[in-house]
Amino acid sequence: MNHKMFCFQCEQTAGCTGCTGKAGVCGKTADVAKLQDELTGALIGLGRTLNGDTTLGNEKTWKLLIEGLFATITNVNFNEETLRELIERVHSEKAALVPMCSGCANPCGKNEDYDMTNLWTADEDIRSLKSLILFGIRGIAAYAYHALVLGYRDEDLNRFIARALFVIGEDWEMEELLPVVMEVGKYNLTCMEMLDKANTETFGTPVPTTVPLKIEKGPFIVISGHDLLDLKLLLEQTEGKGINIYTHGEMLPAHAYPELKKYRHLKGNFGTAWQNQQKEFADIPAPILFTTNCLMPPKSSYTDRVFTTEVVSYPEIAHIGGDRDFTPVIEKALALGGYKEDQTFTGINGGDTVMTGFGHGTVLGVADKVIEAVQTGAIKHFYLVGGCDGARPGRNYYTDFVKKTPDDTIILTLACGKYRFNDLDLGTIGGLPRLMDIGQCNDAYSAIKIASALADAFGCGVNDLPLTMILSWYEQKAVCILLSLLYLGIKNIKLGPTLPAFISPNVLNYLVEHFNIGAITTPEEDM
């Protein structure tokens, strides 16, 4: 890990202890960080092999690009072995696409793996823009992966991912890179729309749902991550076995989907913010299944109870393969037996339930009530408060902000940042809850649909709405969502707890000048 590379785990550009060969705050060793760079360089090399001519690619190519990029996202893969396997698969794909190159007497060098030190040591403005492109397409890849497992794909999106990788390997200047940065936002919007369609057509349109934080006695399994198909398969395989299922983290919105909530043994949600898992998982008598990112290095007290699947991988942790046979997880749940009596847990603020299910299908279904409430003055303002959470000090700002919002305002929220305040009871306005959980981070698409519909109803632009966006950012998914908002021309976004450290002063000045983007200050000033 080069000292100039931004570390999402530590939320800074300074080097971590992983650079010295020891595990850093993220739990990744220098060897794992180096392999992730090598994998990224191999993927860029694959993009360069296509040489901008993406007609060379095929379904296998696109799937590998998506899976490889996803594996380099924060808190996904900590395993040297699986990273090496991915690198070899990328090399094999390059060889299959351009078989004549391996025996070329005068190699051009374009098909070789890209040396990531060229990026991390580049001019700071070039490094900043290329980082935005790289981190953004990593986020896109995560969403594209979730859609792909449900059978949904977009050929233009796949080709853009390949082209973006090609661009990162080229010696382009700022004026050439800036349009590609905005394209990342455009194609992420396409990707989020595709995933929204995949989820709703597969699992139904989310409906408002109250989710208890209580754990009932008896065997249970906690499932974390984002992949709804994994949850569906786990529910099917545990039905009738006397095992209850509890969501964790970004899996919470699953309770709102009709095709998932129909399973009576999908009981509730366990735990608070993802970064608290090492403490909260320490002594629960149940296995934990991680389906996507959000895994933290397991403590020894519960290592034997953790299972991973899909692209998630951690050394010496049991992994469920592509057949999604969760028998080992089920057997572990039955052996542990769960709690002897019902256990009552609370959210960060002491609440014993949370609500979810306020996606665009629900909110726009009562748009007439919302519009009437605005016209009569019952609703004075909307706040979108959400994003990716993290452990860095200063994130209590978001709790304080929501607590201080006036009674005549609506708070929309999404992603894991909502755990800072989603157990608060803020009351209602005209029969509508003041706090509405839209869903996972990818459900930023719902927020955009809602804002656009309100703007159309009032005959104005989104920037003219009584709407304030207060976003917490942490990892690559937050980057691609931010770029989608900027692509749509949305201005005056507040980011925190600090502005992205990998953005150079010149690039930051560009964002401030064109979009008036800024850092959070205090809840009172930002309100």
Side-chain angles (χ1 to χ4, degrees), residues 139-265:
I140 289 175
Y143 299 144
Y145 183 93
H146 296 317
L148 187 60
V149 298
L150 294 175
Y152 291 72
R153 56 181 60 84
D154 186 290
E155 191 73 10
D156 288 339
L157 174 67
N158 293 335
R159 295 184 188 281
F160 171 73
I161 292 173
R163 186 165 67 84
L165 286 166
F166 169 80
V167 168
I168 295 169
E170 293 295 293
D171 294 325
W172 287 14
E173 298 300 320
M174 281 189 66
E175 60 271 16
E176 298 172 288
L177 292 170
L178 274 169
V180 183
V181 171
M182 289 297 105
E183 275 193 288
V184 173
K186 170 187 175 182
Y187 280 97
N188 181 60
L189 190 61
T190 297
C191 191
M192 290 193 298
E193 181 180 14
M194 176 176 66
L195 181 53
D196 177 81
K197 180 180 180 182
N199 284 337
T200 54
E201 289 187 352
T202 305
F203 306 112
T205 300
V207 295
T209 303
T210 299
V211 183
L213 304 182
K214 180 180 74 172
I215 303 294
E216 296 182 11
K217 65 180 181 180
F220 67 98
I221 296 170
V222 174
I223 181 168
S224 188
H226 302 71
D227 200 283
L228 301 179
L229 179 60
D230 282 328
L231 174 57
K232 175 72 156 50
L233 296 174
L234 181 64
L235 288 168
E236 290 176 349
Q237 293 178 37
T238 51
E239 192 168 24
K241 289 184 168 62
I243 299 173
N244 290 329
I245 306 299
Y246 295 87
T247 56
H248 171 265
E250 284 274 64
M251 198 64 84
L252 166 64
H255 290 273
Y257 287 91
E259 287 302 307
L260 299 174
K261 67 188 284 101
K262 71 181 183 181
Y263 290 92
R264 298 182 64 182
H265 60 300

Side-chain angles (χ1 to χ4, degrees), residues 451 455-456 459-465:
D456 289 343
C460 65
V462 172
N463 291 316
D464 300 314
L465 288 171

Side-chain angles (χ1 to χ4, degrees), residues 201-428:
E201 289 187 352
T202 305
F203 306 112
T205 300
V207 295
T209 303
T210 299
V211 183
L213 304 182
K214 180 180 74 172
I215 303 294
E216 296 182 11
K217 65 180 181 180
F220 67 98
I221 296 170
V222 174
I223 181 168
S224 188
H226 302 71
D227 200 283
L228 301 179
L229 179 60
D230 282 328
L231 174 57
K232 175 72 156 50
L233 296 174
L234 181 64
L235 288 168
E236 290 176 349
Q237 293 178 37
T238 51
E239 192 168 24
K241 289 184 168 62
I243 299 173
N244 290 329
I245 306 299
Y246 295 87
T247 56
H248 171 265
E250 284 274 64
M251 198 64 84
L252 166 64
H255 290 273
Y257 287 91
E259 287 302 307
L260 299 174
K261 67 188 284 101
K262 71 181 183 181
Y263 290 92
R264 298 182 64 182
H265 60 300
L266 178 61
K267 291 288 186 175
N269 192 73
F270 174 80
T272 55
W274 70 269
Q275 67 270 13
N276 297 332
Q277 65 186 256
Q278 291 175 324
K279 178 181 178 181
E280 294 175 343
F281 290 163
D283 56 6
I284 63 171
I288 307 104
L289 175 64
F290 281 93
T291 66
T292 57
N293 52 313
C294 299
L295 169 68
M296 294 183 74
K299 297 286 189 179
S300 58
S301 61
Y302 65 92
T303 300
D304 65 327
R305 294 186 276 112
V306 176
F307 296 82
T308 60
T309 190
E310 299 190 70
V311 297
V312 188
S313 187
Y314 196 90
E316 300 179 6
I317 294 294
H319 187 78
I320 305 300
D323 59 358
R324 301 296 199 282
D325 181 356
F326 295 117
T327 298
V329 190
I330 293 169
E331 290 176 344
K332 178 66 72 172
L334 293 171
L336 290 170
Y339 291 110
K340 301 295 184 184
E341 301 294 337
D342 292 354
Q343 301 291 311
T344 300
F345 295 94
T346 68
I348 288 176
N349 303 286
D352 57 9
T353 63
V354 293
M355 285 195 74
T356 190
F358 292 93
H360 63 89
T362 293
V363 176
L364 297 184
V366 293
D368 54 339
K369 293 183 180 179
V370 176
I371 294 168
E372 181 183 1
V374 173
Q375 291 173 333
T376 60
I379 297 176
K380 291 286 200 307
H381 204 86
F382 296 88
Y383 295 101
L384 175 61
V385 186
C388 296
D389 203 3
R392 186 177 179 136
R395 290 182 178 269
N396 57 316
Y397 161 95
Y398 297 94
T399 308
D400 296 339
F401 186 97
V402 170
K403 285 181 176 179
K404 292 177 179 179
T405 54
D407 291 342
D408 54 5
T409 61
I410 292 285
I411 300 94
L412 303 173
T413 189
L414 53 86
C416 55
K418 62 176 169 273
Y419 280 95
R420 296 275 173 176
F421 48 78
N422 68 338
D423 62 322
L424 292 171
D425 183 1
L426 300 181
T428 62

Side-chain angles (χ1 to χ4, degrees), residues 21 29 78 83 87 93 101 134 148 242 290 294 307 350 396 437 466 474 482 506:
T29 64
F78 299 74
L83 289 170
I87 292 169
E93 184 65 12
C101 289
L134 175 59
L148 187 60
F290 281 93
C294 299
F307 296 82
N396 57 316
D437 174 20
Y474 179 64
L482 174 62
N506 284 336

Side-chain angles (χ1 to χ4, degrees), residues 43-58 61-62 65 93-94 97-98 110-111 158-159 161-163 165-166:
L43 291 167
I44 293 172
L46 179 53
R48 287 167 61 79
T49 294
L50 299 170
N51 198 29
D53 179 14
T54 52
T55 57
L56 284 174
N58 53 56
T61 312
W62 310 140
L65 288 177
E93 184 65 12
K94 283 198 297 184
L97 291 176
V98 285
K110 275 198 169 185
N111 299 329
N158 293 335
R159 295 184 188 281
I161 292 173
R163 186 165 67 84
L165 286 166
F166 169 80

